[in-house]
Amino acid sequence: MSRSATKSPGDELVIALAGQPNCGKSTLFNAVAGFKVNTGNFSGTTVAYTETRVFFEGRTVKLIDLPGTYSISAHDIAEKVARDYLLSGSVDVIINVLDSSTLARSLELTIQLMEMDVPMVIALNMFDEAQKKGIAIDAAKLASLTGVEACPLVAAQGSGVHELFRAAFKVSREAYRYRKPVYDKDVEECIARIASRYPQSLGELARVNERFVIIRLLEMDPEFEALAQEADPAFLQFVRENRRFLAEVHAWPETGVFASHRHAMVMDLFEDVAVVKSRAKLSFGEAVDSFIINPAGGLIAFAALIFLMFSTSFWLGDLLSGLLEGPLDLVGRQLPGLLSGNVLILAAGLWDGVTAGLGIVLPFLVPLLTLMSLLEDTGLLPRIAFMMDGLLHRFGLHGKSVVPLILGYGCNVPAIMAARNLEYERDRIITLLVVPFISCSARTVIIMALAGKYLGAGYATLIYLGNIAVALAMSFLLSRFNVETSPGIIMDVPPLRRPYAGIVLRKVWAMTYEFLAFAWPVIAISSIVLAVMAHAGVDAYVNAALSPVTAFVLDLPENLGITLFLGIFRKELTLIMLESALGTANVASVLSPVQLLVLVVFTVLYIPCIATISTLWKEGGWKVAAASVALNTAVALVVAGTIAHVL
Amino acid sequence: MKLDDLGQGALAVIAGITGGRGVLARMASLGLYAGKKIRVVQTAPFKGPILVEDVATGARTMIGRKIAAHVEIRNEEPR
C-alpha cells in the first residue's frame, strides 16, 4: 500500500472522510469545501463519493466524502464504494468521522478502519450533542488506547475543524504507527494459525495487508473468499475450519462470531473512554421523539407537517408573488415605448422569461425548498418511514421507499438517486417508476400558480391529493406485475436533531442558485425562441402536429401544444409560456375552469422532465427510463382526457 | 419466542437470527446479532415495523415484521 510519510508539504494530500451513515461527514465536507454535497438526517444521503480540491491550512487537499457505512463488509453499494476507495491505495489519510452521541456504535467501524492500516485520525463529531446526552468522552484517552489521534468537534458550527485537519496533516507527515486492534486470545491464536499458512499468491491478488484479509475471511466476506478461492482453495478450506472451530468454542453462530468479538472489544473501549451520566429528564428532542413515534402522535405530526408544507408554499408563495407582480409589470409596460420592431420582439420575449422566473417560480420555490431542507435535517423522514411502512405494504412498497418518495416533492432527480438505498431490485424498480409521478417543486409551483390562483385552494389541494392517489395506484399496479415480496425493512432511526439555520440557508441557496444559474437562462432563452417563433409563425406547425393530443384528447386550445412540449425540458416552462402562447395575462379569460384543471393535471402527470429521464436512465437503465416515459404519458392522457370529456 | 411476539417496552436478548445471508449481514452491520440485549421501543400501526433499541449503545433500528419473525429471542425481565 502507498505510504504518505514521504510526501512533502507542497504535495497534494488525499484525505477521505469515512464514517457511519448520518455521522456528519457531508456536514464536515461542506464546512471545509463550501456547499458541495447534500446533507440530511437519515442514512444514505451520500450514495456515491464526492471529491473536491481545497486549499486549507496552507495545503492543497483532495477531500473525498465517502458514503456512510456501518461496516466495511461491502454488503451494499455504499459500503462497496467506500471500501474500494479506501483500499485503492490512493488515500493518504482517513478521517474517521464519529457521531459522539452514539459513540459505542460508531467505534465498531473505527476498529475495522484501523485494521486497514492506513494513516487515520478520529473526528469526534457532534461533541456538543454527546455532552447534552450526558456522555463525557475522554478524547486523549481514546487516542492513547487506540493509537489514533482523536479530535472533538462540532462540524455544523465549524468548531474544531481546523484542529482536526492539522492533526490529519501531522499523521500524514510523520510515520503513522499502526496499532492493530488486539482481540482475545482465542481469536489471536486463530489469526496466527491462518497467517502461518497465508499463501503468497493471495497477498499478490488482494494487495492489502495480510491481517486485514484474514479478518475479512473470518467474517465470511464473499469478495475476499472469492479471492482466496482463486489463490489457493486449500487455504480457504483451512480458514473455514478455523472459523467453525472458533464458533464452536464460543457457542456462537459462525456468521456472527467475529462480529461478537469485535463488539466485545468495542464495549470495553467505550467503557474506558466514556462516562455516561444518567439523566432524569429527557432532552427536548427525545421528548418530541417519544411523542411522534407513537401512532397517534405520529399521525398528528405527519398531518401537521403536510399541512404546513402545503400552506406555506401556497400562502407565502402567493403573497411573495403578488408583491413582485406589480413592479415587474410596470417595467414590462415601459418596453413598447422604449424599443420597436424586431428588438422589441426579442426584448419582450426576454423580459417575459426573466420576470416569469423571478415573479412566478422563485416565490413558490424558495419556501418549499426551505421546508424540504428542514425535513431532511431534523431526521423526521425515517420516522415517517416507520409509521407508513405498514400502510405502504398494502400498495406493494415498504417504508424505505418513503425517503425517495418524499424527497421527490423537492426534486425527482435526488429522489431517484436516493432509491439506491433500497436493497432489493424489485422495490427499487417500483420506486423508480413511482417517483416521477410525485409532484416535484416545479410542478407544485404550477399547481399553486394555476389551480390555486384561478380555481382556488380547494382545487389545488384536490389535485395534490389526487396526485398522491395516482402515485399509490401506480405502486399497487406495478407490484402486481412482480409478485415476489421483499423481505421488508431494516433501517436505522437516528436521534432527532435540531436543524442549524446556517446549513439550511446554505442548502436552500445552493438549490436556488441551481435554478438561477441553469434553469432561469433556459427559461429566458426559450421565451425569446417562443417569441421569435410566434412572430415568424413557426409555432403553428408544432401546435398543428400536437393538436390530436391537445385539441382532441385534452380539449384544450391548439396553441398550447408548444407550451406542453416545452415542459419536457423544464416543467416550469409550461406555466411561463402559457401567457405568451395564449396572448393574455388573464389565463382564466381564455380557458374554462375544466380546461385549466385538465391542463394542470396533465402537466403534473405527463413525461418527466429531461433531467429526471436522464437520471432514470443512469440509475435503472434505458428500459426503466423508457417505461417511465410511456407510463407517465399514458396515465396523464387517460386521467386528464377523462376529466376533459366527463366534466 | 420471536421478536414479533414482543410487546412495547419488553427487554430481550437476541438468541439467533434465521434467514438469508443478506438479512443477517444487514442486521449485523446495524449491530444486531446473537447476544445483543434489545428493548422494544414501539410497534408501528398497520402491522408495520418494530422499533428496537440496542440497550448498550442506545442505537435504534426499525425491523419489518416479516424479518422480526425470523429473530429468535430470549425473554429478559425488566429490571
Side-chain angles (χ1 to χ4, degrees), chain A residues 70-71 75 79 101-102 104-105 108 220-222 225 252-253 255-256 259-260 263 267 270 289 293-295 382-383 385-387 389-391 393-394 400 423-424 485-494, chain B residues 8 15-17 21-37 41-52 54-68 70:
Chain A
Y70 284 103
S71 73
H75 291 308
E79 285 186 357
S101 68
T102 58
R105 176 155 88 171
E108 301 249 358
M220 303 177 101
D221 188 308
E225 284 204 331
W252 271 331
T255 45
S260 306
H263 180 67
M267 289 319 292
F270 176 72
D289 200 8
I293 213 74
N294 274 305
R383 284 154 180 88
F386 176 69
M387 215 165 47
D389 180 72
L391 207 59
H393 269 290
R394 312 206 168 167
K400 222 164 182 178
E423 291 90 354
Y424 299 97
T485 52
S486 66
I489 195 168
I490 304 177
M491 189 179 176
D492 61 320
V493 182
Chain B
Q8 221 164 293
I17 302 164
R21 192 174 172 141
V23 170
L24 268 173
R26 272 193 301 141
M27 297 277 275
S29 69
L30 286 161
L32 297 168
Y33 36 76
K36 266 295 173 79
K37 196 166 156 189
V41 181
Q42 181 78 51
T43 51
F46 313 111
K47 290 193 184 136
I50 295 165
L51 184 65
V52 299
D54 180 336
V55 175
T57 66
R60 289 177 172 191
T61 309
M62 60 175 108
I63 300 171
R65 210 160 287 233
K66 239 192 286 174
I67 295 173
H70 289 285

Side-chain angles (χ1 to χ4, degrees), chain A residues 26-94:
Chain A
S26 298
T27 309
L28 177 61
F29 185 90
N30 289 340
V32 178
F35 194 93
K36 290 263 170 61
V37 286
N38 200 15
T39 55
N41 188 10
F42 50 89
S43 295
T45 321
T46 309
V47 268
Y49 65 84
T50 315
E51 57 177 52
T52 190
R53 276 188 178 75
V54 285
F55 194 70
F56 198 70
E57 290 271 317
R59 289 206 61 166
T60 314
V61 175
K62 186 165 135 187
L63 193 62
I64 297 124
D65 180 29
L66 292 173
T69 57
Y70 284 103
S71 73
I72 50 163
S73 325
H75 291 308
D76 57 32
I77 304 174
E79 285 186 357
K80 199 166 151 36
V81 166
R83 179 166 100 177
D84 288 352
Y85 201 100
L86 292 174
L87 289 177
S88 67
S90 56
V91 177
D92 294 319
V93 186
I94 298 174

